[in-house]
Amino acid sequence: MQRKIRIGALISGGGTNLQAVIDACGAGRVDGRIVFVGSDNPGARGLERARAHGIPTFVVDYGAILRAYRQAPQGARLPSDFDPEELRAKISLMPPSTPEAKVADFLKSRAMAEADLLSAMSAYPFDLLILAGFMRNLTPYFIDRVNTDTQRPRIMNIHPALLPAFPGTDGYGDTFRYGCKVGGCTVHFIDYGEDSGPIVGQRAFDILPQDTLEDIRRKGLEQEWQLYPACIQLFAENRLRLTASRLEGRPPRTVVAIAPEPAA
Ligand code: GAR
């Protein structure tokens, strides 16, 4: 039997995807165990789900950190390894027209929060980090300190739309308002952009004329609870490989799932 992978999770809210992964680990559908659950939001209900299963939790209160930065940016205590030029060159979360001062403030305040996240996570070695409804964009400061091997990304996210359509914070709402006839969800690895990293898996569902936004969310979440454990299991089986992009002039960004090793 293969070793169980150690999974860290970051959440911001209710944690139904977290619950689906906990249950899949318990049922043996994922060869893994969750070693910590962290949140940017002290009130995240998903923290209670984790505690109920005896999983260690921590909170890095982004709201408080970002407020303190805004009140006294000059007094900000930046991490000693913070390199603004390096991060500025990598980040692609914002449109090119964004004022430089705004990008600089974003990078500084996020690096402070992300350094606290990394410090809390360092108590729990992990193989894969899953974002399960984590509603904060991560910057290259954090990403590079987790993805130490560029060919082996290890931060996965689940997004409530069929990417590359509708990145951002309200995938099902955007799908509904656009009048789409099909909705879906996507699991992808994180890169330096917004919901732009290599896709691991997707599931779709029909949208009927009478469906409300609530119907779409319900149908979507039901698909998410299937899709996320299945993608995590592909990672646990070491079956995910980055391949050359099919888009001209782009860095490697396609993920393929290779067939399982034949049993010896
Ligand atoms: C899920 O629909 C997830 O896809 C979405 O938040 C919800 C979290 O629900 N994530 C994002 O929008 C990330 N940008 P949950 O807390 O019940 O798992």
Side-chain angles (χ1 to χ4, degrees):
M1 200 187 96
Q2 68 188 41
R3 180 178 79 89
K4 283 182 192 271
I5 59 162
R6 299 161 299 180
I7 303 166
L10 296 179
I11 63 166
S12 296
T16 65
N17 275 289
L18 170 71
Q19 188 69 56
V21 177
I22 292 172
D23 293 348
C25 289
R29 281 180 285 116
V30 167
D31 294 320
R33 64 193 168 90
I34 304 216
V35 292
F36 69 81
V37 174
S39 181
D40 62 311
N41 169 17
R45 271 215 34 237
L47 290 169
E48 288 160 33
R49 295 181 189 270
R51 288 186 201 115
H53 289 272
I55 300 167
T57 63
F58 61 81
V59 173
V60 172
D61 188 344
Y62 266 57
I65 293 168
L66 303 186
R67 262 194 312 279
Y69 178 83
R70 273 195 300 274
Q71 279 161 15
Q74 308 309 333
R77 292 229 317 269
L78 295 166
S80 56
D81 56 356
F82 176 75
D83 180 343
E85 272 106 55
E86 183 209 342
L87 300 179
R88 180 67 191 95
K90 287 178 174 170
I91 195 167
S92 59
L93 281 171
M94 298 159 172
S97 57
T98 311
E100 279 308 312
K102 190 170 172 190
V103 181
D105 282 339
F106 177 81
L107 286 172
K108 283 185 203 163
S109 55
R110 293 303 166 118
M112 289 167 63
E114 290 175 354
D116 285 358
L117 268 186
L118 290 163
S119 160
M121 286 161 47
S122 67
Y124 313 103
F126 61 91
D127 302 297
L128 174 69
L129 179 65
I130 61 166
L131 310 181
F134 185 64
M135 301 306 283
R136 304 283 183 176
N137 284 316
L138 293 165
T139 78
Y141 180 82
F142 180 93
I143 295 168
D144 288 354
R145 282 160 182 76
V146 176
N147 285 341
T148 44
D149 178 348
T150 53
Q151 283 312 298
R152 299 223 167 233
R154 57 183 194 125
I155 310 175
M156 257 187 201
N157 182 41
I158 188 151
H159 182 76
L162 287 172
L163 292 171
F166 309 126
T169 53
D170 192 12
Y172 292 137
D174 292 340
T175 302
F176 174 68
R177 285 183 289 275
Y178 201 90
C180 295
K181 308 302 178 227
V182 172
C185 51
T186 303
V187 169
H188 63 100
F189 285 116
I190 289 290
D191 70 2
Y192 299 147
E194 182 164 40
D195 302 320
S196 56
I199 290 175
V200 178
Q202 295 184 303
R203 284 179 78 130
F205 56 88
D206 288 330
I207 297 175
L208 307 176
Q210 67 273 21
D211 278 346
T212 63
L213 176 53
E214 276 322 297
D215 292 328
I216 290 174
R217 282 197 216 287
R218 178 182 45 76
K219 288 184 184 183
L221 274 170
E222 281 166 9
Q223 297 299 322
E224 292 185 37
W225 302 332
Q226 306 295 317
L227 178 66
Y228 217 176
C231 291
I232 293 168
Q233 179 61 6
L234 287 175
F235 184 97
E237 291 172 0
N238 193 20
R239 287 171 57 194
L240 298 178
R241 297 288 180 274
L242 274 189
T243 68
S245 174
R246 294 174 199 142
L247 298 172
E248 210 140 309
R250 297 284 188 85
R253 48 171 300 142
T254 305
V255 175
V256 290
I258 57 169
E261 297 278 322

